[in-house]
Amino acid sequence: MRFLPLFLVMTTFVGCSLVNKTALRTTANVIKEGSDESFTEGNWTFFKDAMPGNIKLLEGLWFADQSNENLLGLLIKAHAAYAFVVHETQALEAIITDDYNSTAKEQAILHYEKAIFYAVKLLEENGISQEEFFSKEFSLKLPKVFEEKFDDSHLSGLFYFAQALGSSINLQRNNVVKMSYLSHVKSMLSWVCMRDRDIENGSCGLFQSVIEASTPTMLGGSQEKAKKQFLDVIAKQPYNLMARLSLIQYHLIPMLEEDEFDKEMALLKRDINSWYKGIKDSSQAEKKYSSHREFNLFNAMAKERFQVIKKIKKEIF
C-alpha cells in the first residue's frame, strides 16, 4: 500500500480535529480502491519495511470511525497479509523444524490475531456476536447467516478473516480449542469462494489447498486431495509461484517425498529466475509474468521461502 502522502494529510487533519466521518469514509473508499497495488510489489524487503507504518495509520483512521466497515475490511486484510507474506516467511525454518521459540512465528500469530480482532468488530457491526460466531454449531449455520447478513462488499474482509483464523490455528496446532474452529474456516472459505471464486486474484484455490493440507486426517484433512488441489492451481496460474512453493511446503515436505521435492524445487528455481530477471530489468520481463503483475508480491514471497527451504533440506530429509 503506497498511501503515505494521503495518510499524512489525513493524520494532520485528525490531530487538528477537523476531519468528520464523511471525510474519513471518503478516504477509506479511495484507499480500498487502491489497496491491491500492494500485490504488484516485487521487492519483498521493501514491502516488509513499508507496510507497518501504513497499517498503524489505517488503525488511526479506524479509531476515529469505528463503525467504518471499509476500514475494518482493510485492517483485516492488512494484518492477515502482512503475517502471511512477512512473518510466516521469516519463521519458515522454525515452522518446518517445529521450533516453538520463534519470535517471527509469534509475530505472525499476533498479526493474525489482530486481523481476527477487527473481523469480530465487522461481525458485530452486522449483528453477529463473538460468542455466536465461535460457538461449536455456528459453522453449520454459517452459510445461511452470512447470506442474510453480508453482501459482496464484505467478501474480501471475510476471505482474509478465514485466512487469518486458519493460519493462526495452523501455527498453534497444540491448542485444542483453536483446532476446533477449523470447521468455521472451511465453512467461511467455502461460502466466500462460492460467491466469488476469483476473489483476491483467484486466491481461493491456493488457500483452500493450504487449509486442506494443514487439517489433520482425524479432522477430515486429506493430503491426497490437497495435492490435487495444489496441482490444479499450478496448472491454472503458472505465473503464481506461491502455488508450487505451497505444494512443496504444505505437501511434499510433510509427506517426506524427497524425489518429487527435488523435481519441484528445480522447476521452481527455473521459474523464480525467469520472473526475477524481469523485476531487476523490465526490458527482460517475460509476458507470462509482466501481464500478471498482481502476482509479483506472491512471487517475491516464493523467492524468499525457496531460499529458506533450500538451506534446510538436510534437516528435512
Side-chain angles (χ1 to χ4, degrees), residues 46-315:
F46 177 74
F47 177 87
K48 171 181 68 72
D49 294 340
M51 279 299 291
N54 287 339
I55 293 174
K56 288 307 298 180
L57 285 164
L58 269 179
E59 289 183 325
L61 293 176
W62 171 78
F63 191 77
D65 184 10
Q66 297 187 21
S67 63
N68 190 317
E69 295 188 9
N70 279 338
L71 287 173
L72 286 171
L74 285 167
L75 284 165
I76 297 165
K77 179 176 180 176
H79 279 287
Y82 195 72
F84 182 63
V85 174
V86 176
H87 291 304
E88 276 211 59
T89 300
Q90 292 175 324
L92 186 57
E93 181 175 351
I95 292 169
I96 291 174
T97 59
D98 292 325
D99 178 2
Y100 295 101
N101 298 311
S102 165
T103 300
K105 183 177 177 181
E106 181 179 354
Q107 285 297 313
I109 292 170
L110 291 175
H111 275 284
Y112 283 134
E113 291 299 317
K114 198 67 174 291
I116 293 167
F117 167 82
Y118 289 115
V120 168
K121 296 295 183 184
L122 181 64
L123 293 176
E124 291 173 346
E125 286 294 325
N126 289 276
I128 304 171
S129 68
Q130 180 172 343
E131 293 73 21
E132 180 184 3
F133 179 83
F134 286 108
S135 61
K136 290 182 179 179
E137 67 278 2
F138 189 79
S139 64
L140 297 175
K141 61 181 182 179
L142 183 149
K144 183 175 184 296
V145 174
F146 274 27
E147 199 66 36
E148 294 172 353
K149 301 287 187 178
F150 296 114
D151 57 37
D152 288 354
S153 68
H154 299 104
L155 292 182
S156 178
L158 294 173
F159 175 84
Y160 283 101
F161 177 22
Q163 187 253 321
L165 182 57
S167 297
S168 182
I169 292 169
N170 197 34
L171 293 176
Q172 303 176 80
R173 295 169 72 86
N174 57 342
N175 186 326
V176 178
V177 175
K178 281 280 187 185
M179 292 295 290
S180 68
Y181 298 133
L182 270 173
S183 58
H184 292 58
V185 175
K186 289 188 172 184
S187 184
M188 190 158 32
L189 270 179
S190 177
W191 184 82
V192 171
C193 294
M194 180 184 67
R195 293 286 297 263
D196 184 1
R197 187 70 187 173
D198 295 324
I199 192 169
E200 298 302 311
N201 300 317
S203 291
C204 281
L206 179 60
F207 284 110
Q208 286 181 314
S209 303
V210 169
I211 294 299
E212 185 65 39
S214 303
T215 302
T217 304
M218 67 179 65
L219 295 179
S222 168
Q223 280 288 352
E224 183 178 354
K225 180 180 178 182
K227 182 179 181 180
K228 290 179 181 178
Q229 291 176 334
F230 282 128
L231 291 174
D232 184 56
V233 178
I234 291 170
K236 290 179 178 177
Q237 298 181 335
Y239 39 78
N240 179 3
L241 305 187
M242 269 304 294
R244 195 179 301 278
L245 187 286
S246 296
L247 169 67
I248 294 168
Q249 178 182 341
Y250 296 101
H251 174 69
L252 298 180
I253 290 176
M255 299 302 289
L256 297 177
E257 296 185 13
E258 186 172 4
D259 290 343
E260 197 162 352
F261 170 91
D262 289 338
K263 173 187 171 185
E264 294 296 335
M265 285 288 283
L267 291 172
L268 184 57
K269 179 181 179 180
R270 177 201 66 191
D271 291 344
I272 287 172
N273 288 339
S274 296
W275 164 76
Y276 193 57
K277 71 180 181 182
I279 296 298
K280 292 194 297 182
D281 181 354
S282 59
S283 68
Q284 296 188 51
E286 295 183 14
K287 187 174 181 180
K288 178 172 74 171
Y289 301 113
S290 63
S291 60
H292 291 283
R293 294 182 63 250
E294 68 275 17
F295 286 95
N296 277 348
L297 184 60
F298 268 29
N299 294 345
M301 175 172 43
K303 178 177 177 289
E304 295 294 320
R305 293 193 183 194
F306 172 84
Q307 295 299 331
V308 174
I309 293 172
K310 178 183 175 183
K311 184 184 74 171
I312 63 172
K313 181 192 172 182
K314 290 183 179 179
E315 296 180 50

